[in-house]
Amino acid sequence: MQSNKISIKQFFKNLKIAVSGKEQDFTTGSIRRAVFMLSIPMILEMLMESIFAIVDIFYVSKVSVNAVATIGLTESVITLVYAVAIGLSMAATAIVARRIGEKDKEGASQAAVQVIFLGVVVAAFISVIGIIYPKEILSLMGGEADLIEEGYGYTQILMGGNVTIMLLFLINAIFRGAGDASVAMWALIVSNGLNIILDPLFIFGFGPIPAYGVKGAAIATTIGRGTAVVFQLFVLFYGWSRIKVGLKDLVIRVAVMFNLIKVSLGGIGQFLIGTSSWVFLMRIMSEFGSEVLAGYTIAIRVMMFTLMPAWGMSNAAATLVGQNLGAQKPERAEQSVWKTGKYSAIFMGIVSIVYLLFAPQIIQLFSQESEVVKNGALCLRIIAAGYVFYGYGMVVINAFNGAGDTKTPTWINFICFWLFQLPFAYLMALTFNLGPLGVFMAITLAEVLIVIIGIVWFKKGYWKSIKV
């Protein structure tokens, strides 16, 4: 009894330290403790992101089925253009983590500034396209005329103001690489806290604020994330992060920038493959009408709520790999991955049971339309069947990225998504007339294949010799 009290007390003590971000050296001591200290704030950070997704879809689902479908179509395109941001963020985490492991804080700060410069340039390009061509984007994705008319404002604002999402993403990757996961967590708390408050005000109207409908969700998101970016920049210049940026750092360093671009190319290719596959899956789903598309969108949003903690653990693994390789401890880096993968798989296995048992009831929280509920529940159950594999797979794949080996996951994604998932989804859904079920099966089986290939290649150990 006494030992239980001590262990519970120790758990809450460690939890407090993890959230406060006081412990920052993860190259020595207990690996289990290091995984815990990094994972907790990263899981909370990702939970904040998934709460945002759930709240957003909850309010928008009260507007119309078309409004929900608009979010699904817009986000599938946005994830395509954000492949660049994701690639850059992986490079930022890998290089910053490696420099911190090498005790080179100045090099870490220089890398941070260059990735922000690159992010602003990419965001400006995306903004122009989003502001000028929102209707064409929705039309290209198979949106019907009434959906486009109702939802193009959402697409225009979200893509036009994408610099807020871009910088929030990139600067948090910098903090995670430095081991300052708690700073990234607080940035998302600011962002999503504001979004939760502003969402209903701009969607349904309040006092002098008119009811913008689905467009209001984009306005709330942009304001919330923009405020969080201001908070991030304040911490970078004046705050408690291990990375401190001064005016002397605000110069373009060609060598550092090219190194970032070189490392990020694999990540960009990796996510371009994954997200373009996502776009094509959405295009196939749009063949079955707005109700099916809405059910699929709600199910994916719900799943993000539980996928995000697994992403948090995989980000922790990436940081541990980068810092320990920088400290010349490759075996410790490998042990960190296996332990984190085990914890992630256990968590995802528990979640899958809940989804398999209560899928219709969960979807009904967001929509009462019978077709929406039917297809959303089917999606939830089929994809949840592979949750244990996702949990382990995310950690192993992100471990390659943390080492700076972004090429290996790119090839794995190419094989599993383009050579397997897309042809399988098309054949099952359209050729063999399985409809949405064919798409859901393709998603699950592709993720299982990723895990198998990822683990086999990780065990070969080539990632340990990568230089960044």
Side-chain angles (χ1 to χ4, degrees):
M1 191 71 168
Q2 186 66 28
S3 65
N4 282 344
K5 283 185 179 178
I6 292 170
S7 61
I8 292 169
K9 187 177 179 182
Q10 187 63 41
F11 171 81
F12 282 106
K13 183 181 177 183
N14 288 340
L15 185 66
K16 184 178 178 182
I17 294 170
V19 172
S20 68
K22 288 178 182 175
E23 186 162 326
Q24 296 173 324
D25 184 5
F26 302 107
T27 58
T28 58
S30 164
I31 292 176
R32 181 182 294 181
R33 179 182 171 85
V35 171
F36 181 86
M37 289 297 171
L38 267 176
S39 292
I40 290 299
M42 287 185 184
I43 288 170
L44 291 174
E45 177 197 350
M46 294 300 168
L47 272 175
M48 284 294 104
E49 189 64 33
S50 52
I51 286 171
F52 154 74
I54 290 287
V55 168
D56 221 29
I57 210 73
F58 176 80
Y59 286 125
V60 170
S61 66
K62 307 297 179 192
V63 178
S64 69
V65 169
N66 274 345
V68 176
T70 296
I71 288 183
L73 293 179
T74 302
E75 287 193 344
S76 65
V77 174
I78 273 199
T79 54
L80 183 61
V81 291
Y82 284 168
V84 179
I86 291 165
L88 283 172
S89 72
M90 288 190 312
T93 297
I95 292 173
V96 169
R98 192 70 69 96
R99 298 294 170 267
I100 292 294
E102 293 165 351
K103 311 298 183 190
D104 180 10
K105 289 187 179 181
E106 186 178 347
S109 298
Q110 290 175 2
V113 171
Q114 301 313 303
V115 82
I116 290 171
F117 285 162
L118 285 168
V120 170
V121 171
V122 173
F125 176 72
I126 295 167
S127 290
V128 172
I129 295 172
I131 291 168
I132 298 174
Y133 302 112
K135 291 184 178 180
E136 289 81 357
I137 289 167
L138 290 175
S139 177
L140 188 66
M141 287 302 298
E144 296 163 4
D146 56 337
L147 180 150
I148 293 169
E149 201 52 44
E150 182 180 345
Y152 81 90
Y154 176 88
T155 307
Q156 191 172 48
I157 291 172
L158 203 67
M159 291 186 72
N162 83 93
V163 69
T164 59
I165 307 173
M166 185 79 75
L167 290 183
L168 185 65
F169 206 102
L170 293 179
I171 299 173
N172 270 359
I174 292 163
F175 288 138
R176 283 195 295 268
D180 292 321
S182 65
V183 181
M185 176 194 73
W186 286 111
L188 275 227
I189 288 174
V190 170
S191 167
N192 296 333
L194 270 173
N195 185 74
I196 289 167
I197 294 167
L198 296 176
D199 242 356
L201 301 185
F202 284 99
I203 292 172
F204 306 114
F206 183 80
I209 301 172
Y212 287 103
V214 66
K215 184 177 174 181
I219 296 171
T221 296
T222 303
I223 293 173
R225 286 181 163 157
T227 305
V229 169
V230 173
F231 165 77
Q232 287 176 318
L233 292 172
F234 180 83
V235 173
L236 270 180
F237 280 91
Y238 304 108
W240 61 90
S241 171
R242 293 177 88 177
I243 291 186
K244 290 284 192 297
V245 173
L247 291 175
K248 63 179 174 56
D249 296 312
L250 299 180
V251 294
I252 293 175
R253 301 177 193 274
V254 177
V256 178
M257 190 172 285
F258 272 105
N259 189 35
L260 271 164
I261 292 170
K262 184 182 75 174
V263 177
S264 70
L265 284 176
I268 292 168
Q270 181 184 144
F271 278 85
L272 272 175
I273 290 166
T275 52
S276 61
S277 177
W278 181 265
V279 168
F280 284 118
L281 290 179
M282 275 305 249
R283 185 66 185 85
I284 294 171
M285 293 295 292
S286 70
E287 293 291 317
F288 307 112
S290 289
E291 286 81 7
V292 173
L293 199 57
Y296 177 58
T297 301
I298 290 171
I300 294 298
R301 280 296 184 100
V302 170
M303 288 174 63
M304 292 302 288
F305 186 75
T306 44
L307 280 172
M308 286 300 181
W311 268 115
M313 283 186 261
S314 77
N315 284 333
T319 298
L320 286 167
V321 166
Q323 290 196 7
N324 282 293
L325 287 180
Q328 305 297 314
K329 296 180 179 179
E331 299 312 313
R332 180 181 170 86
E334 183 174 353
Q335 289 171 27
S336 302
V337 174
W338 296 129
K339 286 195 176 184
T340 310
K342 183 178 76 173
Y343 302 146
S344 180
I346 291 169
F347 168 76
M348 296 296 275
I350 294 168
V351 171
S352 68
I353 295 170
V354 176
Y355 284 167
L356 290 169
L357 292 175
F358 303 109
Q361 292 87 339
I362 292 169
I363 301 298
Q364 281 170 354
L365 294 173
F366 301 90
S367 176
Q368 297 299 316
E369 297 266 348
S370 59
E371 276 300 302
V372 173
V373 173
K374 175 186 165 186
N375 286 282
L378 180 65
C379 177
L380 211 52
R381 281 177 167 153
I382 297 296
I383 298 180
Y387 251 32
V388 172
F389 294 94
Y390 302 167
Y392 223 111
M394 277 187 243
V395 171
V396 172
I397 294 299
N398 224 14
F400 286 117
N401 293 326
D405 179 12
T406 53
K407 290 181 182 177
T408 295
T410 303
W411 281 108
I412 294 173
N413 278 6
F414 177 75
I415 293 165
C416 298
F417 290 143
W418 279 11
L419 298 187
F420 173 76
Q421 187 186 70
L422 290 180
F424 187 88
Y426 185 88
L427 286 171
M428 292 296 113
L430 301 174
T431 305
F432 294 108
N433 297 317
L434 286 180
L437 175 62
V439 177
F440 306 151
M441 288 169 59
I443 294 170
T444 299
L445 293 174
E447 293 294 341
V448 173
L449 189 59
I450 284 172
V451 177
I452 294 168
I453 297 173
I455 288 176
V456 168
W457 202 254
F458 186 79
K459 282 185 172 181
K460 291 183 181 295
Y462 301 132
W463 55 273
K464 294 176 185 177
S465 59
I466 298 292
K467 304 293 180 189
V468 296

